[in-house]
Amino acid sequence: SSGINAEYGGGKEKICFSHLPYHSDWIFLGTTFGNVYTVNIKTCKPSNYVIYWSNANARKTYPEHPGEIVGIVEPPAEPSRLLIAYSKGLMIIWNLNKKETEKVFKNKTGIKSVYWHVEASKLSKRFTVSHVDGSLSEWEHEKKKKKDECLKSCTPFSDFGNCDFIGKVVKAKRFSDVNPIIIFSGGLPSMDYLDRNTVTIIQDRRENDFTTLDCPSKVLDFLVIETPPHKKDETFATALIILTEEELLAIDLLDSNLPEFRLPYLAPVHCSPVSFVKYLPNCPNTFPDSALIPLL
């Protein structure tokens, strides 16, 4: 990342988010300045294709700088478009071919993450957003509508007082589920549980039915292993992987008791700082069939 920072922004502009689309040679890098750069993963060379925040906000629908990039994801059914989320509440649908903003979503509450649903029956039109006040909102992208409103919003633990931010949210479905589950980190009441490091699994439409996992150290990242792994298909969650400051945790989502998998090693993964974890299915023969790769 230092080479990119040196070329774009003189080292002051830092990378804060990355997204590699399925079957793509180009990775999108979001920065603290609100810009998105593209880099070829085979050559490690940056492209001249840059989505500057000023161009993304060309319609002047947002009165100020939208903040840093907190989310980049392509709609599963529309690989030529990106949903880009900014920390101050702005979200846009960006057309990669036309190099323009097609739609703008505005939220008064700051954003921490965004997740696009994979639902074959609804053609993947909906996405969920996590916010700085511990709330979750759900949106729907309709091409024919010039302006889309928030479908619903809730704060899972609002009954217990003001809540901490929800750092990440994922919406998934298990084989046995009629309704999808929501998995998120943080979001607990800030007065009594600020020192807790948690990941919560909550059943959609049954918000009193939830399980909160209290981790031994700060939660840095988590992911859900799904089958099949291809995002254009409807997927089913099988396991939850949680990366904390001190260890890697694996939870069995197929068991209603949510037991922890016994890890195949005794040494901690943090011989040096780790901040991200990625699941790589169907690796070449030179690697194991499936691997969890912590990136240092």
Side-chain angles (χ1 to χ4, degrees), residues 19-22 28 71-85 92-96 102-103 105 114-119 122-128 139-143 148 230-233:
H19 174 64
L20 178 63
Y22 178 66
F28 296 98
I72 305 172
V73 62
E74 77 279 5
E78 301 178 87
S80 63
R81 291 169 173 80
L82 289 178
L83 171 66
I84 303 175
I92 67 166
I93 297 292
W94 178 265
N95 189 310
L96 290 168
E102 286 189 341
K103 188 167 293 185
F105 308 87
V114 61
Y115 179 82
W116 202 293
H117 306 179
V118 181
E119 299 175 8
K122 296 183 179 179
L123 300 177
S124 304
K125 296 178 181 179
R126 295 188 177 187
F127 57 93
T128 296
W139 302 71
E140 186 171 46
H141 168 49
E142 288 282 359
K143 291 182 180 180
D148 288 329
H230 311 303
K231 291 298 182 181
K232 291 185 179 181
D233 304 323

Side-chain angles (χ1 to χ4, degrees), residues 62-210:
Y62 203 77
E64 57 184 13
H65 190 285
E68 67 182 45
I69 301 294
V70 294
I72 305 172
V73 62
E74 77 279 5
E78 301 178 87
S80 63
R81 291 169 173 80
L82 289 178
L83 171 66
I84 303 175
Y86 301 83
S87 60
K88 293 184 179 180
L90 176 68
M91 297 176 289
I92 67 166
I93 297 292
W94 178 265
N95 189 310
L96 290 168
N97 296 330
K98 295 182 179 180
K99 300 181 180 180
E100 65 180 17
T101 298
E102 286 189 341
K103 188 167 293 185
V104 174
F105 308 87
K106 290 189 291 184
N107 197 299
K108 296 180 180 179
T109 308
I111 296 173
K112 296 298 291 186
S113 73
V114 61
Y115 179 82
W116 202 293
H117 306 179
V118 181
E119 299 175 8
S121 60
K122 296 183 179 179
L123 300 177
S124 304
K125 296 178 181 179
R126 295 188 177 187
F127 57 93
T128 296
V129 182
S130 70
H131 298 279
V132 296
D133 62 352
S135 65
L136 298 169
S137 60
E138 186 171 308
W139 302 71
E140 186 171 46
H141 168 49
E142 288 282 359
K143 291 182 180 180
K144 296 181 180 180
K145 293 183 179 179
K146 294 183 178 180
K147 184 179 180 181
D148 288 329
E149 301 290 344
C150 176
L151 295 177
K152 60 181 179 180
S153 178
C154 70
T155 304
F157 297 107
S158 60
D159 292 343
F160 305 98
N162 295 330
C163 297
D164 194 18
F165 67 86
I166 294 179
K168 182 176 181 178
V169 61
V170 170
K171 197 168 186 178
K173 191 175 183 180
R174 296 172 294 195
F175 288 107
S176 58
D177 289 330
V178 176
N179 298 312
I181 58 174
I182 298 176
I183 305 174
F184 59 86
S185 58
L188 292 185
S190 54
M191 183 66 69
D192 300 322
Y193 299 97
L194 194 58
D195 59 338
R196 297 296 181 90
N197 310 294
T198 62
V199 174
T200 298
I201 303 171
I202 187 170
Q203 183 72 24
D204 194 24
R205 300 175 187 170
R206 290 161 50 193
E207 297 179 4
N208 292 326
D209 181 11
F210 64 87

Side-chain angles (χ1 to χ4, degrees), residues 3-20:
I4 297 171
N5 289 337
E7 186 169 351
Y8 301 116
K12 296 180 181 179
E13 189 171 10
K14 296 181 179 180
I15 296 170
C16 57
F17 193 89
S18 64
H19 174 64
L20 178 63

